[in-house]
């Protein structure tokens, strides 16, 4: 078997059929990420305008708008854990199809009730990108994971750049919002068809190991586990001989294991994720309004600046590979420095006296946040283990959902003080995150990994 493993690794490095199948599979996943954000970004900027056109008061519109974040808060972890239990393919298909149903109902929403109803399936099942990232972590080695996830984020960001432009054009037509929502539904149905036609078998060509069925531990890049992971694999094999219970019982068991891991080993990672998410959301929450009040920048120019910074963020995701090689694949060091850069840029933006300096800060912030977001995801997967990748990413999405709920409130309070209040408060939160990372850096060197695997 060692000869076969080394042969598989050589075949992957030499571009054998296993490597070709893996590359094809990754490209398909990148296309799914692009189409997902392309469809969503066509509709999301138009939601507030549409719900107001239906006669909703600002209070009702705010409640309906926050329902998505609240549903995501509770569903992210459950759906991620469910994907670990039933498999990525089934969970990905279910999430895409239910999201398509939500946007189909949205396209038929002629009153506030239907609009609110349409947000329920989307809020519960719109976890396509999270499951895709978990699937990526299943397919590649730990060293290659940040690079591949960064490329996936870059492909998704391109969809977010193009989607608002297409949606803005379509909404100017008669019944433009309904047409846009229907097209978004069709995009999700196309994504479901792509997932159904994925070359799953080709991606598992190198997954047969030690007599196990292909796909049990897919490694199309010729990955070999280190000794501690092999010990954990042996323990899992022993545990797997016990009779399996119903899926939801397995979900509950995995969540209990994850609870102990989060509070013992991963609390600082999730704390940093929450602090940095709120810091960035504070910055963008009043971005257009602050530019207009401070520098007289019109909303149209601010929108172009957002699109430009999104393009730079996509390039930042592609630049993560060289950055990690420069730092010896130390994701924690890259995260620390990107967070420090984010903190500095938020302070510069708050103190800016010209629109040019504010635009420069926005451009660099897009790159630093894209790098930091990918590094946080990689650290979560490294600490929790790829076997529970869906659960780990789901918990991270729940943490981000908390930020979506808290950030608007903090932004409103900070904006009462000054238009520069939100970015200043964001810089303070980023500074707290940097302090946490500095305190816990030594504890995480060489340890704290694959704890869930050895449970």
């Amino acid at each position: 078997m060692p000869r076969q493993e080394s042969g598989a690794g050589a075949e992957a490095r030499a571009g054998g059929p296993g490597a070709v199948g893996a590359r094809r599979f990754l490209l398909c996943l990148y296309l799914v990420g692009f189409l997902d954000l392309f469809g969503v970004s066509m509709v999301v900027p138009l939601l507030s305008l549409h719900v107001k056109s239906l006669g909703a008061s600002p209070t009702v519109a705010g409640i309906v708008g926050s329902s998505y974040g609240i549903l995501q808060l509770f569903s992210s972890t459950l759906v991620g854990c469910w994907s670990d239990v039933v498999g990525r393919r089934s969970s990905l298909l279910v999430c895409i199809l239910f999201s398509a149903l939500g946007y189909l109902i949205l396209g038929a929403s002629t009153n506030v009730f239907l609009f609110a109803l349409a947000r329920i399936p989307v809020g519960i099942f719109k976890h396509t990108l999270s499951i895709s990232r978990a699937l990526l972590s299943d397919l590649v080695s730990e060293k290659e994971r940040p690079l591949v996830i960064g490329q996936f984020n870059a492909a998704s960001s391109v969809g977010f750049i193009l989607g608002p432009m297409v949606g803005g054009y379509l909404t100017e037509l008669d019944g433009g919002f309904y047409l846009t929502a229907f097209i978004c539904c069709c995009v999700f149905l196309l994504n479901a068809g792509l997932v159904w036609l994925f070359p799953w078998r080709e991606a598992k060509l190198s997954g047969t190991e030690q007599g196990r069925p292909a796909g049990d531990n897919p490694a199309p890049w010729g990955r070999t586990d280190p000794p501690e992971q092999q010990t954990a694999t042996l323990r899992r094999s022993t545990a797997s001989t016990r009779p399996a219970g119903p899926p939801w019982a397995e979900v509950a068991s995995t969540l209990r294991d994850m609870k102990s891991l989060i509070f013992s080993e991963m609390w600082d990672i999730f704390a940093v994720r929450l602090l940095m998410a709120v810091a960035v959301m504070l910055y963008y929450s009043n971005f257009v309004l602050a530019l207009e009040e401070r520098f007289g920048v019109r909303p149209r120019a601010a929108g172009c600046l957002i699109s430009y910074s999104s393009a730079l963020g996509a390039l930042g995701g592609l630049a993560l590979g060289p950055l990690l090689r420069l730092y010896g694949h130390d994701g924690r060091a890259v995260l620390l420095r990107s967070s420090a850069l984010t903190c500095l840029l938020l302070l510069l933006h708050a103190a800016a006296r010209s629109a040019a300096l504010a635009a420069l800060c926005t451009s660099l912030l897009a790159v630093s946040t894209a790098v930091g977001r990918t590094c946080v995801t990689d650290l979560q997967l490294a600490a929790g283990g790829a076997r529970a990748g869906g659960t780990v990413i789901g918990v991270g999405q729940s943490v981000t959902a908390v930020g979506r709920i808290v950030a608007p409130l903090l932004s409103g309070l900070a904006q009462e003080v000054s238009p520069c209040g939100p970015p200043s408060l964001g810089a303070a939160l980023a500074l707290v995150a940097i302090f946490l990372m500095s305190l816990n850096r030594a504890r995480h060197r060489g340890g704290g990994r694959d704890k869930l695997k050895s449970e």
Side-chain angles (χ1 to χ4, degrees):
M1 291 308 298
R3 289 183 182 178
Q4 292 179 10
E5 288 176 0
S6 62
E11 181 186 30
R13 287 189 295 270
V20 173
R23 283 290 183 189
R24 188 181 305 168
F25 193 89
L26 290 181
L27 290 176
C28 291
L29 266 181
Y30 295 162
L31 180 58
V32 166
F34 165 78
L35 289 174
D36 184 280
L37 275 192
F38 174 74
V40 169
S41 62
M42 283 197 302
V43 175
V44 169
L46 310 175
L47 291 178
S48 58
L49 294 175
H50 182 64
V51 71
K52 288 180 181 178
S53 70
L54 296 177
S57 65
T59 302
V60 173
I63 293 173
V64 173
S66 64
S67 63
Y68 176 82
I70 295 173
L71 289 171
Q72 289 270 297
L73 171 64
F74 294 103
S75 66
S76 296
T77 304
L78 289 174
V79 172
C81 183
W82 178 60
S83 75
D84 291 329
V85 173
V86 303
R88 308 291 186 219
R89 183 181 189 180
S90 301
S91 56
L92 195 56
L93 279 172
V94 168
C95 286
I96 291 175
L97 290 174
F98 272 97
S99 298
L101 175 63
Y103 286 109
L104 181 62
I105 299 173
L106 188 65
S109 59
T110 55
N111 54 61
V112 178
F113 173 76
L114 284 176
F115 184 92
L117 182 65
R119 303 303 289 162
I120 294 176
V122 178
I124 296 175
F125 291 99
K126 179 59 186 70
H127 301 290
T128 314
L129 298 181
S130 300
I131 298 176
S132 298
R133 292 187 185 100
L135 180 55
L136 286 172
S137 73
D138 297 339
L139 292 174
V140 300
S141 67
E142 185 175 335
K143 185 176 289 189
E144 293 165 323
R145 185 172 57 211
L147 173 62
V148 172
I149 292 180
Q151 292 172 347
F152 177 80
N153 290 340
S156 304
S157 299
V158 174
F160 195 81
I161 296 168
L162 299 178
M165 294 189 292
V166 176
Y169 172 77
L170 293 175
T171 195
E172 295 182 359
L173 306 175
D174 291 335
F177 177 82
Y178 302 103
L179 177 62
T180 304
F182 178 72
I183 292 176
C184 180
C185 173
C186 293
V187 168
F188 273 83
L189 291 177
L190 175 61
N191 252 354
L194 286 174
V195 172
W196 181 264
L197 297 174
F198 266 7
W200 295 91
R201 185 177 300 276
E202 292 184 14
K204 297 174 183 178
L205 283 176
S206 302
T208 305
E209 179 183 324
Q210 301 276 356
R212 288 184 311 214
D216 183 59
N217 183 26
W221 300 90
R223 176 169 85 186
T224 57
D225 291 336
E228 63 273 12
Q229 294 186 20
Q230 292 175 1
T231 304
T233 302
L234 180 60
R235 293 179 183 176
R236 284 197 308 270
S237 300
T238 305
S240 65
T241 59
R242 294 175 301 195
W248 288 111
E250 295 183 35
V251 168
S253 175
T254 304
L255 287 176
R256 283 193 296 269
D257 293 339
M258 180 58 64
K259 179 181 176 182
S260 62
L261 178 67
I262 290 171
F263 288 106
S264 63
E265 295 293 337
M266 298 176 64
W267 68 269
D268 59 323
I269 299 176
F270 289 115
V272 168
R273 181 179 184 126
L274 177 61
L275 290 169
M276 294 305 300
V278 174
V280 175
M281 290 175 191
L282 282 170
Y283 170 74
Y284 284 109
S285 60
N286 72 331
F287 180 73
V288 177
L289 180 61
L291 285 182
E292 187 173 10
E293 288 184 357
R294 294 174 61 190
F295 309 113
V297 177
R298 303 300 300 167
R300 179 187 237 173
C304 293
L305 180 59
I306 292 174
S307 296
Y308 167 70
S309 62
S310 299
L312 289 180
L315 294 176
L318 295 176
L320 186 58
L323 271 177
L324 283 171
R325 285 193 291 271
L326 180 64
Y327 283 93
H329 295 279
D330 186 356
R332 191 170 290 272
V334 177
L335 176 61
L336 180 61
R337 283 155 180 78
S338 68
S339 301
L341 179 59
T342 299
C343 179
L344 177 62
L345 291 171
L346 288 173
L347 283 175
L348 283 176
H349 186 273
R353 293 292 179 263
S354 66
L357 181 57
L360 177 63
C361 292
T362 301
S363 304
L364 296 177
L365 264 171
V367 178
S368 67
T369 53
V371 171
R373 186 168 58 247
T374 305
C375 287
V376 165
T377 302
D378 179 63
L379 287 174
Q380 290 173 199
L381 290 168
R387 298 290 295 185
T391 308
V392 172
I393 293 180
V395 174
Q397 291 298 110
S398 296
V399 170
T400 304
V402 173
R404 290 194 187 101
I405 297 171
V406 172
L409 176 62
L410 293 179
S411 176
L413 294 175
Q415 200 168 352
E416 291 288 340
V417 179
S418 166
C420 302
S424 301
L425 180 57
L429 294 177
L431 193 60
V432 175
I434 294 168
F435 180 69
L436 274 178
M437 280 186 281
S438 301
L439 281 180
N440 291 278
R441 187 175 181 186
R443 182 172 68 85
H444 283 277
R445 268 183 197 156
R449 295 192 170 194
D450 302 303
K451 296 293 182 183
L452 187 63
K453 296 181 179 181
S454 59
E455 291 290 337

